[in-house]
Amino acid sequence: MALDFSNIHSLNQFKKNNEKKESRDFPFERENVFDIDLPSETSIYPFFREDFALQDAMFFDTETTGLSHGAGNMVFLAGIGYVDRGKLVIKQFFVSNPSIEFKLIETLLELFANRNIVISYNGKCFDIPVIKTRCVMNGINEPDVEQIDLYHISRFVWKDKLRSFRLVDIEREILKFERKDDLPGSMAPFAYREFLLRGKTELLERVFKHNLRDVYSLFEIFKIICNKNNIDVLFAKARKFFALKEFDESLDILRHILSLEIDDINKKKVYSLAAKCLKKKGEFEKAKKLWLKIRDVESHIELAKFYEHKQRDYNKALKHTEMALSKTKEKTPLFKELLIRKKRLISKSGYFDL
């Protein structure tokens, strides 16, 4: 569903409607509710623990007076989102006067206590450290939260597809959405300063929209990570299980990928990782069948190793070494390594041919 910003009040209208209810001594709160399509399954394992529950999590993004997480950087706007009864609720909390920042921090700590899994984009390196610093500055205990950083997951999932991993890049390339008239996050400090010193709200209004879009995009990225039929995500999960030495789990996912409609390039990627899993499990004959299907440099090298060390068939090992050499650029370290292997195999095969 397209994101609709039409129900967001202007700051001036908000203050007019609430001038008798709230003063500038309190950060004001905005709430927006969106109809959403929930994924049938909300597990992002193995990127996070297996017993993750969406009701324990919230999506989180901040706007601050600076771009570092030093003591002088203050949070003036925090956006949090959570799923409630099939809808995405996004609340924004605004520090209308720096003197009442601690009330925003206390509000966030209450929210963290109820939903202690924070889903962010680069929040491990920025948003949460800033909050912790502001807790120290305000004499408040730091929050005890678990974090899911979609920035790091995105880099792992789309490392072969994207060069840049800014949130706007993920939106454009993965979510297929491009922001219009968006105020860059780097302009947020200036917009806040203009509001405090001159009462100007035009730029600040755009900061609110920027923050709202950020939180909404976190949910959209999360949905993709939960998608059981997304090839990029599935293959990344298989790679993650391989890194964790959970080879059977990796193979299960790879079999599922093969059951989907995929092109030859993705098939080779699946075969290659499956062969690595089988090799780690000691199932060399099964791995050999996959290497013979792939027939790239890496698979020929693996076949050369298999025939040399497992079957003592030096002629076949030499054959695959030569095929690997034919696909490798000269004067590269790998080419030199293959020449050494070839020389050794010629010596071995010649010795046993006598």
Side-chain angles (χ1 to χ4, degrees), residues 117-166:
I117 300 174
V118 176
I119 303 174
S120 65
Y121 202 84
N122 205 32
K124 282 186 177 180
C125 294
F126 185 75
D127 300 86
I128 296 301
V130 170
I131 293 296
K132 289 184 175 181
T133 298
R134 300 316 298 174
C135 284
V136 173
M137 298 298 293
N138 284 280
I140 303 172
N141 291 332
E142 295 180 9
D144 181 19
V145 296
E146 295 184 84
Q147 296 188 62
I148 299 174
D149 196 325
L150 295 178
Y151 169 74
H152 297 290
I153 295 177
S154 295
R155 287 184 66 91
F156 191 85
V157 172
W158 293 293
K159 69 182 186 71
D160 296 328
K161 183 173 286 188
L162 304 178
R163 291 188 176 183
S164 176
F165 292 88
R166 297 176 305 162

Side-chain angles (χ1 to χ4, degrees), residues 263-326:
D263 57 27
D264 290 339
I265 293 176
N266 279 314
K267 277 185 181 178
K268 282 191 174 183
K269 287 170 60 178
V270 170
Y271 291 154
S272 179
L273 183 55
K276 289 179 181 178
C277 290
L278 292 167
K279 179 184 176 182
K280 290 291 186 180
K281 285 165 59 68
E283 299 180 20
F284 292 98
E285 286 294 335
K286 290 182 179 179
K288 182 187 76 171
K289 292 178 181 178
L290 294 177
W291 289 325
L292 288 170
K293 286 183 177 181
I294 303 166
R295 292 188 174 278
D296 61 4
V297 173
E298 184 181 359
S299 62
H300 283 304
I301 292 173
E302 290 295 340
L303 285 165
K305 292 178 182 178
F306 170 74
Y307 283 117
E308 179 182 3
H309 301 298
K310 296 297 179 182
Q311 296 203 334
R312 300 291 192 270
D313 189 333
Y314 304 116
N315 287 321
K316 285 187 177 180
L318 179 59
K319 171 188 171 184
H320 285 288
T321 299
E322 289 175 337
M323 294 182 77
L325 274 167
S326 69

Side-chain angles (χ1 to χ4, degrees), residues 324-342:
L325 274 167
S326 69
K327 297 173 182 287
T328 305
K329 290 183 179 180
E330 295 185 15
K331 298 181 180 180
T332 61
L334 179 58
F335 190 84
K336 293 177 181 178
E337 289 177 18
L338 289 170
L339 285 177
I340 294 171
R341 179 183 295 276
K342 178 180 178 180

Side-chain angles (χ1 to χ4, degrees), residues 207-312:
V207 174
F208 271 81
K209 290 184 179 181
H210 172 90
N211 177 262
L212 182 64
R213 178 69 240 187
D214 282 353
V215 177
Y216 192 91
S217 289
L218 293 178
F219 172 74
E220 290 293 307
I221 297 170
F222 174 81
K223 272 176 54 178
I224 292 178
I225 303 300
C226 293
N227 190 330
K228 294 187 292 184
N229 292 318
N230 184 289
I231 304 300
D232 293 332
V233 172
L234 287 171
F235 190 69
K237 288 183 176 182
R239 288 191 292 113
K240 186 69 173 179
F241 275 123
F242 178 82
L244 295 171
K245 299 183 179 181
E246 300 285 351
F247 305 121
D248 288 329
E249 285 79 359
S250 182
L251 286 167
D252 285 343
I253 293 176
L254 295 172
R255 292 188 190 99
H256 175 57
I257 295 175
L258 288 174
S259 72
L260 305 173
E261 290 187 12
I262 58 174
D263 57 27
D264 290 339
I265 293 176
N266 279 314
K267 277 185 181 178
K268 282 191 174 183
K269 287 170 60 178
V270 170
Y271 291 154
S272 179
L273 183 55
K276 289 179 181 178
C277 290
L278 292 167
K279 179 184 176 182
K280 290 291 186 180
K281 285 165 59 68
E283 299 180 20
F284 292 98
E285 286 294 335
K286 290 182 179 179
K288 182 187 76 171
K289 292 178 181 178
L290 294 177
W291 289 325
L292 288 170
K293 286 183 177 181
I294 303 166
R295 292 188 174 278
D296 61 4
V297 173
E298 184 181 359
S299 62
H300 283 304
I301 292 173
E302 290 295 340
L303 285 165
K305 292 178 182 178
F306 170 74
Y307 283 117
E308 179 182 3
H309 301 298
K310 296 297 179 182
Q311 296 203 334
R312 300 291 192 270

